[in-house]
Amino acid sequence: MNPEATALDGWIDLLSAVFMVVGAVMSLGAAIGLLRFPDLLSRMHAATKPQVLGLFLLLAAIGLQMRTWWVWPVLVVAWIFQLLTVPVSAHMVGRAGYRTKHLHRELLTADELEAVVQKAAAKTAREDGTGDGSQP
Amino acid sequence: MMQTVLVVTAVIFSLAAAGAIIRISRGPSLLDRVLATDVLLAILGGALCVDMAVNRHLNNLMLVVAISIIGFIGSVTVARFVADRREQPIES
């Protein structure tokens, strides 16, 4: 090995070490957010840090450490799978939290679901009142 | 250098897992516990990733993907369960 290659090795090691430490700090930030934030929705905001950016940094560290090109598609597939599943579960948890009133309403700046819920409730009441449940 | 990184990340991940476990045990509602369990699974996957990166192998990659599937299925199922259970007294 020529000295340039070993210098490059050292830089790649340093970069992946930084990625790993920052990815671990994302997990720590999520834990601190879980402990300190007041209600479910703000805790959900903290919980997404290690799931997306933290996992991306750690998978990039794996790719840098393996020093081969063929691992990158596998790592990208693993990360994209996480990207596809995390929003769905966060949507379900947030919706269940909204319905069971596990939120501090005074902390919200906008509540777009409120109008939808009101509209659906009014529609249900109207259909119950007239008696015909015919859908257009 | 890699051994130092391993020790540092192990300490950070342990603190993070302790925080998530405290939230699981203390969480006022079931959804808080589900969220904290999701974070705990993410921390576990991150620890597996660090192990793979430091020791330069890919044995745990399928385990990381499986952990993300388990977190997805678990939180979706529990969220459905909570929504159904708490909705009934309002509708009746």
Side-chain angles (χ1 to χ4, degrees), chain A residues 10 13-18 20-21 23-31 34-37 39-40 43-48 50-51 55 58-59 61-62 65-67 70-71 74-75 77-78 81-82 84-86 88-90 92-93 96-102, chain B residues 1-2 5 8-9 12-13 15-20 22-23 26-32 34-40 42-43 45-54 56-58 61-62 64-65 67-69 71-72 75-76 78-80 82-83 86-87 90:
Chain A
D13 270 355
L14 186 64
L15 186 61
S16 67
V18 169
M20 276 188 272
V21 171
V25 167
M26 289 290 155
S27 298
L28 187 62
L34 278 180
L35 287 179
R36 288 189 57 88
F37 281 168
D39 65 344
L40 178 69
R43 280 176 201 146
M44 284 176 66
H45 154 72
T48 48
Q51 288 172 345
L55 188 72
L58 293 171
L59 290 176
I62 295 175
Q65 283 292 304
M66 293 301 286
R67 305 282 203 280
W70 61 266
V71 281
V74 183
L75 300 175
V77 165
F81 191 77
Q82 181 88 351
L84 287 177
T85 55
V86 160
V88 178
S89 62
M92 298 292 294
V93 171
Y98 186 90
R99 288 195 180 179
T100 53
K101 309 279 191 298
H102 283 130
Chain B
M1 187 171 72
M2 279 301 128
V5 170
V8 169
T9 51
I12 295 173
F13 277 129
L15 288 176
I22 288 173
R23 178 49 72 189
R26 200 199 284 167
S29 71
L30 182 60
L31 288 168
D32 286 314
V34 170
L35 195 66
T37 313
D38 234 4
V39 171
L40 192 58
I43 290 167
L48 287 173
C49 284
V50 167
D51 174 53
M52 278 190 284
V54 169
R56 296 192 180 183
H57 61 83
L58 287 174
L61 199 57
M62 285 304 114
V64 172
V65 175
I67 279 176
S68 81
I69 297 176
F72 168 65
S75 53
V76 166
V78 177
R80 281 305 295 182
V82 169
R86 292 288 295 263
E87 229 177 359
I90 302 171

Side-chain angles (χ1 to χ4, degrees), chain A residues 29-133:
Chain A
I32 293 173
L34 278 180
L35 287 179
R36 288 189 57 88
F37 281 168
D39 65 344
L40 178 69
L41 295 182
S42 47
R43 280 176 201 146
M44 284 176 66
H45 154 72
T48 48
K49 298 284 171 294
Q51 288 172 345
V52 178
L53 183 58
L55 188 72
F56 170 75
L57 290 172
L58 293 171
L59 290 176
I62 295 175
L64 289 174
Q65 283 292 304
M66 293 301 286
R67 305 282 203 280
T68 50
W69 289 111
W70 61 266
V71 281
W72 283 94
V74 183
L75 300 175
V76 166
V77 165
W79 190 57
I80 284 180
F81 191 77
Q82 181 88 351
L83 276 189
L84 287 177
T85 55
V86 160
V88 178
S89 62
H91 172 82
M92 298 292 294
V93 171
R95 202 172 168 81
Y98 186 90
R99 288 195 180 179
T100 53
K101 309 279 191 298
H102 283 130
L103 71 163
H104 290 175
R105 214 164 260 290
E106 69 274 9
L107 295 178
L108 295 180
T109 55
D111 188 0
E112 294 182 345
L113 191 54
E114 175 83 40
V116 179
V117 170
Q118 295 286 345
K119 210 164 140 189
K123 192 181 172 196
T124 314
R126 202 167 56 240
E127 283 174 359
D128 284 350
T130 55
D132 63 337

